[in-house]
């Protein structure tokens, strides 16, 4: 297949990455107008807007700099990559740049573009899965330019452009290299492109009926969700028809695939919106729920999620990575394991019995549901860089948790590798074992009435125990850096939170990068200094990336926020 056509059909993936760029556009789109052409059992849709602005911002963006020919050429040459591979990358990059700056392409795809996947034929999907998915895809674009499809086809896709009448419909037939044919038609100000003429005809037939995705309850709910979000610039909207997906998966002959369908029970739709608000990039997603009909694993996660995260006090001005979840419960974990290999679960349970003297289910009655870790520093251990990590798990049953804690201490002491030592802090006893010289190689643990903490280094636990402030509130300095909206979002997350500070992490990774580059040079005979340098530069451009999850009886919400690093304002002497 002509590589340029491949670029066009995977432009969805390209624009997903391009969402990092700041586009100074504010425009109200008719969200989901393409749905008027789609059957109600359409599998999924992705709509993209503002492609005509990407060429103006791509090169100057942090990601654009990393992907530039000059940058990637330097990296690939330093890694001693074959010259042909470098040339292939350069050509692909040039093709993409030419495509995104071509007036014919922009006249069709520049304003509003959508990709939909109709429900594929199951028999053909079994025989030729990739080909059937391609046949099920259709690309939509809105344009006010008369004759845009013909000019686009001739200038970008092929010199061989003819027409073909199928079922009394005249389609544009575009012949590309390797015998590939793409069909197109313009209707009601919308251009449709597909590998299969029957896919286009199905869309035209749906458009003439009242039974379309546009008036399906699931799509209307997704559209309502998109419209409820305050957004300055929308980059993409995604919709997945969970009923159609569940039906497709359930009919699969392979048990590994058909068994996935049951986990979609009670989920009415999936929807997401990627957009810019101020200087922040957001990707918000929602799954609609039918109360009382969810799969037991998801229902258990909903019922077990906590009202308050009691580890937010671990976030501070030096935090690099923070991960938290409230899904560590017997109900959730055992349902999850049951979906896999039962023999594997039995083996895991046997190991827990042998090491801790209780079953996996009993262990989960002692601890949880909250657990996670935080990294606040990367230090030189004397041999290699090490992150200073604090892992934590909530205490559910104090008596059983104490027994587990003492069993772990006993197992460590039985190894004879290090002598157990203790230090007191705020009425609590911190136990630690010095494995190698340097505090970062110490294993330290403490059991409080609410949490079991483990860290590499006793001082971090001592500082934690002596810390003042509420466990469930974000401190003022951290809150100021996050902003009120993101701070409230993190505090309200009931199921999970992941936060990383790329710019801080980049500064901490300078020594790690140097160590890795030296090691690679010594062991593999190649240099990766340019690669390390460019990755560090990319990370320095972003202040924080935060992801949160919250479940309600009616829906599940997932939020991702990316805050760019703001330049420091110059001051006068």
């Amino acid at each position: 297949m002509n590589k340029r056509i491949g670029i066009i059909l995977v432009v969805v993936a390209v624009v997903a990455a391009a969402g990092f760029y700041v586009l100074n556009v504010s425009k109200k789109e008719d969200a989901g107008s393409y749905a008027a052409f789609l059957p109600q059992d359409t599998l999924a849709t992705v709509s993209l807007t503002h492609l005509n602005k990407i060429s103006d911002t791509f090169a100057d963006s942090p990601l654009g700099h990393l992907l530039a020919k000059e940058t990637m050429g330097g990296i690939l040459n330093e890694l001693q990559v074959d010259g042909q591979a470098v040339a292939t990358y350069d050509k692909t990059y040039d093709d993409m740049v030419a495509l995104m700056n071509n007036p014919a392409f922009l006249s069709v795809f520049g304003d509003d573009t959508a990709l939909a996947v109709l429900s594929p034929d199951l028999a053909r999907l079994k025989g030729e899965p990739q080909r059937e998915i391609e046949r099920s895809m259709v690309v939509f674009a809105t344009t006010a330019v008369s004759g845009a499809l013909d000019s686009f086809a001739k200038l970008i896709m092929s010199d061989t452009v003819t027409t073909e009448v199928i079922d009394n419909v005249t389609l544009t037939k575009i012949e590309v290299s390797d015998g590939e044919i793409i069909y197109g038609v313009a209707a009601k100000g919308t251009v449709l492109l597909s590998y299969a003429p029957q896919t286009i005809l199905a869309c035209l037939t749906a458009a003439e009926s009242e039974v379309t995705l546009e008036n399906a309850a699931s799509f209307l709910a997704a559209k309502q969700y998109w419209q409820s979000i305050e957004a300055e610039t929308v980059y993409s909207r995604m919709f997945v028809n969970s009923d159609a997906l569940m039906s497709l998966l359930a009919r699969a002959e392979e048990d590994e695939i058909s068994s996935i369908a049951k986990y979609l029970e009670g989920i009415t739709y999936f929807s997401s919106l990627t957009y810019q608000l101020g200087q922040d990039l957001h990707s918000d997603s929602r799954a609609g729920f039918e109360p009382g009909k969810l799969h037991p694993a998801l229902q258990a996660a909903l019922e077990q999620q906590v009202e308050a995260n009691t580890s937010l006090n671990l976030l501070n001005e030096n935090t690099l990575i923070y991960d938290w979840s409230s899904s560590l419960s017997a109900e959730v974990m055992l349902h999850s394991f049951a979906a896999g290999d039962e023999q594997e679960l039995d083996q895991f349970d046997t190991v827990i019995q042998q090491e801790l003297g209780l079953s996996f289910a009993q262990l989960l009655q002692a601890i949880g549901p909250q657990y996670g870790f935080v990294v606040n520093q990367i230090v030189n251990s004397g041999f290699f860089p090490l992150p200073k990590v604090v892992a934590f798990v909530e205490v559910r049953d104090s008596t059983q948790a104490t027994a587990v804690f003492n069993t772990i201490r006993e197992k460590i002491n039985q190894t004879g590798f290090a002598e157990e030592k203790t230090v007191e802090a705020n009425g609590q006893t911190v136990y630690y074992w010095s494995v190698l010289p340097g505090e970062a190689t110490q294993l330290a643990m403490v059991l409080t009435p609410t949490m079991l903490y483990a860290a590499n280094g006793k001082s971090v636990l001592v500082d934690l125990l002596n810390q003042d402030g509420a466990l469930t509130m974000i401190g003022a300095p951290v809150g100021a850096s996050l902003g009120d909206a993101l701070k409230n979002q993190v505090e309200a997350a009931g199921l999970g939170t992941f936060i990383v500070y790329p710019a801080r992490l980049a500064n901490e990774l300078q020594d790690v990068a140097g160590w890795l580059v030296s090691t690679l040079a010594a062991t593999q005979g190649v240099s990766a200094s340019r690669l390390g340098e460019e990755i560090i530069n990319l990370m320095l451009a972003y202040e924080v990336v935060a992801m949160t999850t919250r479940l309600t009886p009616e829906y599940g919400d997932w939020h991702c926020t990316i805050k760019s690093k703001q330049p420091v304002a110059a001051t006068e002497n």
Side-chain angles (χ1 to χ4, degrees):
M1 184 180 70
N2 187 300
K3 290 182 179 178
R4 290 174 295 181
I5 304 305
I7 291 173
I8 294 168
L9 294 179
V10 301
V11 72
V12 171
V14 176
V15 177
F20 287 94
Y21 320 142
V22 179
L23 304 179
N24 297 316
V25 177
S26 181
K27 176 183 175 181
K28 296 291 184 181
E29 302 89 0
D30 182 13
S33 59
Y34 51 87
F37 286 91
L38 293 170
Q40 285 198 341
D41 64 348
T42 296
L43 201 60
T45 68
V46 178
S47 67
L48 311 165
T49 56
H50 304 136
L51 298 187
N52 52 0
K53 300 297 180 179
I54 290 179
S55 59
D56 296 333
T57 59
F58 181 79
D60 294 331
S61 69
L63 185 60
H65 172 75
L66 175 64
L67 297 178
K69 284 196 305 181
E70 295 76 11
T71 305
M72 289 302 297
I75 292 172
L76 296 175
N77 287 326
E78 191 178 58
L79 292 173
Q80 300 180 13
V81 174
D82 179 76
Q84 183 59 44
V86 177
T88 299
Y89 180 86
D90 289 348
K91 185 178 185 307
T92 301
Y93 183 89
D94 287 340
D95 286 346
M96 177 60 69
V97 171
L99 179 70
M100 297 305 295
N101 286 279
N102 188 288
F105 174 82
L106 294 178
S107 71
V108 176
F109 291 96
D111 294 327
D112 189 7
T113 303
L115 171 69
V117 180
L118 275 60
S119 290
D121 180 90
L122 187 60
R124 291 200 299 259
L125 190 64
K126 294 175 183 177
E128 298 179 297
Q130 180 177 344
R131 188 59 178 165
E132 177 57 16
I133 291 296
E134 291 176 350
R135 283 192 290 253
S136 303
M137 292 193 305
V138 58
V139 175
F140 298 89
T142 57
T143 178
V145 181
S146 178
L149 177 57
D150 288 342
S151 63
F152 169 78
K154 292 178 180 178
L155 292 175
I156 299 296
M157 303 171 77
S158 172
D159 292 329
T160 307
V161 179
T162 59
T163 60
E164 182 174 338
V165 178
I166 301 177
D167 292 348
N168 297 320
V169 178
T170 301
L171 302 178
T172 299
K173 183 178 180 181
I174 308 154
E175 183 177 347
V176 295
S177 60
D178 302 325
E180 293 282 1
I181 301 293
I182 290 181
Y183 293 87
V185 71
K188 301 179 181 180
T190 300
V191 171
L192 291 75
L193 292 172
S194 179
Y195 284 110
Q198 295 305 320
T199 298
I200 292 180
L201 295 178
C203 291
L204 296 178
T205 299
E208 297 301 322
S209 72
E210 295 182 358
V211 185
T212 65
L213 185 66
E214 185 180 44
N215 50 44
S218 58
F219 190 80
L220 289 171
K223 191 173 181 178
Q224 184 178 20
Y225 173 64
W226 296 331
Q227 294 171 342
S228 71
I229 297 173
E230 179 186 359
E232 292 177 0
T233 303
V234 172
Y235 298 116
S236 70
R237 298 178 179 88
M238 183 273 291
F239 166 79
V240 176
N241 186 338
S242 57
D243 283 344
L245 180 60
M246 183 168 61
S247 175
L248 179 66
L249 294 175
R251 288 180 289 150
E253 293 180 352
E254 299 82 358
D255 291 339
E256 300 82 15
I257 298 177
S258 61
S259 63
I260 298 174
K262 62 184 179 182
Y263 290 94
L264 298 177
E265 293 173 357
I267 298 177
T268 55
Y269 68 92
F270 293 97
S271 178
S272 73
L273 187 78
T274 302
Y275 62 97
Q276 184 111 13
L277 183 61
Q279 296 298 313
D280 300 342
L281 179 72
H282 299 263
S283 181
D284 293 350
S285 302
R286 172 168 289 184
F289 295 159
E290 194 171 358
K293 295 187 177 182
L294 297 175
H295 183 273
L298 186 54
Q299 184 66 35
L302 168 61
E303 295 172 354
Q304 291 290 318
Q305 71 173 354
V306 297
E307 293 184 2
N309 179 346
T310 57
S311 71
L312 291 175
N313 62 313
L314 295 175
L315 282 167
N316 61 47
E317 304 93 310
N318 299 315
T319 297
L320 305 176
I321 303 173
Y322 169 83
D323 184 52
W324 168 85
S325 175
S326 66
S327 63
L328 188 63
S329 69
E331 293 82 356
V332 176
M333 300 300 293
L334 293 179
H335 277 302
S336 299
F337 271 106
D341 189 340
E342 292 187 8
Q343 184 178 357
E344 184 177 331
L345 173 59
D346 292 339
Q347 293 173 348
F348 182 73
D349 192 67
T350 300
V351 171
I352 296 295
Q353 287 272 12
Q354 292 174 345
E355 297 298 326
L356 300 179
L358 71 172
S359 68
F360 182 47
Q362 290 173 324
L363 174 63
L364 294 178
Q365 291 172 1
I367 58 175
Q370 300 187 60
Y371 70 102
F373 70 91
V374 62
V375 179
N376 287 331
Q377 190 180 10
I378 297 177
V379 299
N380 191 333
S381 67
F383 299 94
F384 41 78
L386 275 179
K388 295 292 289 294
V389 180
V390 177
F392 57 90
V393 62
E394 187 178 16
V395 172
R396 191 191 299 265
D397 184 300
S398 179
T399 301
Q400 292 190 54
T402 300
V404 171
F405 183 78
N406 289 333
T407 299
I408 294 174
R409 286 177 48 216
E410 181 181 349
K411 291 289 184 180
I412 295 173
N413 291 328
Q414 287 176 354
T415 65
F417 286 129
E419 177 186 359
E420 180 183 87
K421 297 180 181 180
T422 63
V423 60
E424 299 296 317
N426 199 17
Q428 302 291 333
T429 302
V430 177
Y431 298 85
Y432 67 96
W433 298 261
S434 299
V435 181
L436 293 171
E439 194 197 43
T441 64
Q442 289 179 349
L443 171 61
M445 299 193 309
V446 62
L447 179 65
T448 75
T450 58
M451 285 283 187
L452 189 163
Y453 296 100
N456 56 330
K458 64 180 182 297
S459 64
V460 65
L461 295 184
V462 171
D463 292 342
L464 174 63
L465 294 171
N466 290 325
Q467 178 179 302
D468 294 325
L471 301 179
T472 59
M473 299 292 290
I474 293 176
V478 177
S481 67
L482 294 177
D484 289 342
L486 185 53
K487 171 181 175 292
N488 294 337
Q489 183 178 301
V490 170
E491 289 181 344
L495 186 63
T497 297
F498 177 78
I499 301 174
V500 60
Y501 291 85
R504 285 185 203 165
L505 188 58
N507 289 323
E508 291 284 329
L509 286 175
Q510 297 283 357
D511 291 340
V512 177
W515 179 78
L516 288 174
V517 167
S518 300
T519 301
L520 186 61
T523 58
Q524 303 296 324
V526 297
S527 174
S529 59
R530 181 70 183 275
L531 175 61
E533 176 186 336
E534 295 298 342
I535 291 177
I536 292 294
N537 288 337
L538 179 63
M539 294 172 64
L540 287 170
Y542 301 101
E543 181 178 357
V544 62
V545 178
M547 291 174 277
T548 63
T549 304
R550 183 173 71 96
L551 303 181
T552 75
E554 291 77 29
Y555 55 80
D557 277 352
W558 293 263
H559 300 283
C560 176
T561 301
I562 301 174
K563 298 178 73 71
S564 297
K565 186 74 174 178
Q566 299 301 308
V568 178
T571 57
E572 295 181 359
N573 292 327

